[in-house]
Amino acid sequence: QHLGMYTPEQAEWLQHVDSKHCMYELQIVDDQGGVLVSSSAGAVRRAPGSRDLAAMYLLNESLFHDTLTDKGVQLLTPDLNHDLTPDVILEIPGHEAEGTLLTPLLVEAALQCRTEHQTFLKTARLLPQGMCGAPVLLQNSTCCGIIDGIVPEFNLDDDRGGENEKQRELRRLLSGSASMIPAHELATFVQYLEHTDDSLTAELVRAT
């Protein structure tokens, strides 16, 4: 669905792979890369339309949740109604990976602009690969969205044939920024799953 996001070699490989070839597992790791808790997924549901968004249904969800609580892992509360403005300081927690070493990272950000389909954040630095899906936090530690994608830094001196001034200005504006899926869109996706997925129970039973 999103082959344009990958290198030609990766895109070629992905054209021959679909969900029946995949296994899914969710792991929560500590700052040293040690696994605190993990769970396999019995089913995965993707969002309709063009959003690169999916939900995992864990086979042992209650045990997973209890283990997180026992280990003191904070579960974030979503803020579904916050109206972001450019003066609101946001924080994006994540990590940089070098081999198996994970270095914690906290990047400040702020609203940059909105288009019809996207919300863009200006980040204090280019987010490293692997931070798509990271939570976007208000300063009271509530979650107002997740990172959707990372815009690469462009060399604005590159000559792009056929590019008009408006396109060039947009490229300059968004260079190095990050796009965000707001929390209210995540809530809408969850409501969609709750009301439309009648086959889920049977699929989870088969998976166990």
Side-chain angles (χ1 to χ4, degrees), residues 181-192:
I181 302 177
H184 67 83
E185 288 193 34
L186 302 178
T188 299
F189 177 42
V190 171
Q191 292 167 2
Y192 162 81

Side-chain angles (χ1 to χ4, degrees), residues 60-141:
N60 52 349
E61 181 178 354
S62 60
L63 176 61
F64 189 90
H65 184 277
D66 291 346
T67 304
L68 287 181
T69 302
D70 291 344
K71 292 183 180 293
V73 176
Q74 179 187 10
L75 300 179
L76 297 175
T77 302
D79 187 327
L80 306 182
N81 302 309
H82 191 87
D83 186 21
L84 285 184
T85 55
D87 61 316
V88 175
I89 298 175
L90 305 170
E91 294 180 332
I92 307 168
H95 64 268
E96 287 187 292
E98 186 174 343
T100 59
L101 178 64
L102 301 179
T103 303
L105 186 67
L106 187 65
V107 180
E108 285 195 354
L111 176 68
Q112 184 171 39
C113 66
R114 290 188 177 97
T115 66
E116 183 179 357
H117 302 292
Q118 287 283 21
T119 298
F120 288 95
L121 305 177
K122 187 65 177 176
T123 54
R125 53 155 291 180
L126 182 68
L127 297 183
Q129 294 297 316
M131 281 187 63
C132 290
V136 180
L137 305 181
L138 299 165
Q139 289 194 307
N140 60 1
S141 294

